[in-house]
Amino acid sequence: MTTTIKQPPQKPGIADLDWTLVGFLTAVHGIALLAPWFFSWSALGVMIVLHWLFGSIGICLGYHRLLTHRSLQVPRWLEYVLATIGAMALQGGPMFWVAGHRQHHLFTEDAEKDPYAASRGFWWSHMLWLIYPRPSVFNREIYRSYAPDIARDRYYNWLDKYYLLLQVPVAIALFAIGGWPFVIYGVFARIVTLWHSTWLINSATHMWGKRRFHIDDNSGNLWWTALLTYGEGWHNNHHAFPNVAPAGWRWWEIDVTWYAILVLEKLGLARRVVRPPAEAMAQAR
């Protein structure tokens, strides 16, 4: 009988780095650090509004709860609008984002198969997974198999390839309205703060937080990440019931994205909104 010994995951080396992406991330962070020299209250306001629009409406509602988990349905035109807003967050196209997140749920914290496995450590799950790219996460011909519904759509394929270009009209419009302060805050500072807000869900909520549901991963409900990410920080709730539309289940669990879904439902624009099962709600005390 042959015994197969499973080898531990290899630590990435300096040669494995995607230097192009390292340079891009460094440049965006560097420009964002110019923000104190361009400060104005109106520029800060623009950053906050766009952080909410691209983060809560685009990523949390559009990419995550709608496209990835199909926890609600909206008209096709509205789905395209929400996906486009998500693409403007500069976190990848819809097929890339959905495929990666579905892998995360299928193989949560598996050091080899989860794209941002917290079992590899805080910094790996926070951002190192991006600069040490693996084919299953970054090769379109491979990752598309995890999002076949998205891959069949021509518009989503276009967004997946050209999402970076969407920053150009945003920057031009902001410059026309408020000059360089609006560009620095509305583009670069907004991108960086939204990146790290989103990445905290991959890292912090898989290391800390309360575990309402005892499931086979370390996801936790972490209130301060929920405030930064419009509800996504109620992550133990989400991992226990991924296809449920609300992440916050009790009135004190602030979930700004869920409030937006409720508005869409009241307007008749969202239907088949998946709510927590009654027996699970009884545990949510």
Side-chain angles (χ1 to χ4, degrees):
M1 186 175 79
T2 302
T3 301
T4 302
I5 300 174
K6 186 176 180 180
Q7 298 295 324
Q10 298 296 309
K11 291 184 178 180
I14 196 73
D16 301 318
L17 276 171
D18 182 336
W19 288 103
T20 301
L21 188 52
V22 169
F24 177 74
L25 292 175
T26 301
V28 174
H29 279 78
I31 296 172
L33 290 174
L34 297 174
W37 287 273
F38 290 86
F39 177 80
S40 73
W41 289 109
S42 57
L44 179 62
V46 165
M47 186 193 81
I48 292 171
V49 169
L50 293 183
H51 189 285
W52 163 78
L53 178 63
F54 298 157
S56 180
I57 304 303
I59 295 295
C60 303
L61 200 169
Y63 271 18
H64 188 205
R65 305 189 199 189
L66 176 61
L67 294 185
T68 302
H69 296 295
R70 297 296 180 182
S71 59
L72 68 150
Q73 292 182 4
V74 300
R76 178 65 77 175
W77 67 265
L78 181 55
E79 181 176 308
Y80 284 163
V81 169
L82 294 171
T84 304
I85 295 171
M88 295 171 84
L90 199 62
Q91 295 188 11
M95 194 192 331
F96 166 82
W97 204 101
V98 169
H101 196 71
R102 287 178 180 173
Q103 289 178 70
H104 170 64
H105 276 274
L106 283 169
F107 313 112
T108 307
E109 294 171 14
D110 183 297
E112 294 297 335
K113 295 181 179 180
D114 181 350
Y116 18 90
S119 57
R120 283 178 170 253
F122 178 91
W123 287 109
W124 174 268
S125 58
H126 193 72
M127 63 184 299
L128 290 181
W129 68 276
L130 285 165
I131 60 177
Y132 290 102
R134 289 179 287 178
S136 61
V137 184
F138 286 88
N139 185 309
R140 182 177 287 108
E141 296 309 311
I142 297 176
Y143 70 64
R144 66 185 290 129
S145 64
Y146 291 95
D149 51 331
I150 308 299
R152 287 191 295 267
D153 191 288
R154 291 179 63 183
Y155 181 62
Y156 290 151
N157 275 271
W158 184 89
L159 275 182
D160 216 60
K161 293 180 181 178
Y162 301 113
Y163 68 92
L164 182 60
L165 297 178
L166 298 180
Q167 299 305 309
V168 176
V170 172
I172 291 173
L174 289 174
F175 183 79
I177 297 169
W180 286 113
F182 274 33
V183 174
I184 297 297
Y185 277 85
V187 177
F188 296 96
R190 177 264 305 172
I191 288 172
V192 169
T193 54
L194 187 51
W195 276 347
H196 288 281
S197 300
T198 305
W199 298 343
L200 282 169
I201 302 305
N202 303 335
S203 54
T205 61
H206 279 271
M207 294 188 170
W208 305 297
K210 294 185 177 180
R211 293 171 51 80
R212 172 178 286 149
F213 301 103
H214 295 284
I215 52 180
D216 293 332
D217 61 52
N218 292 318
S219 58
N221 289 333
L222 198 55
W223 68 270
W224 59 270
T225 60
L227 294 179
L228 292 172
T229 58
Y230 308 103
E232 301 293 279
W234 307 114
H235 209 51
N236 179 253
N237 296 348
H238 174 61
H239 267 263
F241 297 90
N243 296 326
V244 166
W249 286 19
R250 290 300 188 186
W251 67 266
W252 63 84
E253 294 178 345
I254 297 173
D255 184 356
V256 173
T257 303
W258 171 237
Y259 308 153
I261 293 172
L262 288 176
V263 170
L264 291 178
E265 188 178 43
K266 288 290 185 183
L267 294 174
L269 292 172
R271 60 191 184 93
R272 296 189 179 179
V273 178
V274 182
R275 286 172 165 80
E279 60 273 17
M281 280 295 292
Q283 291 182 247
R285 296 193 177 98

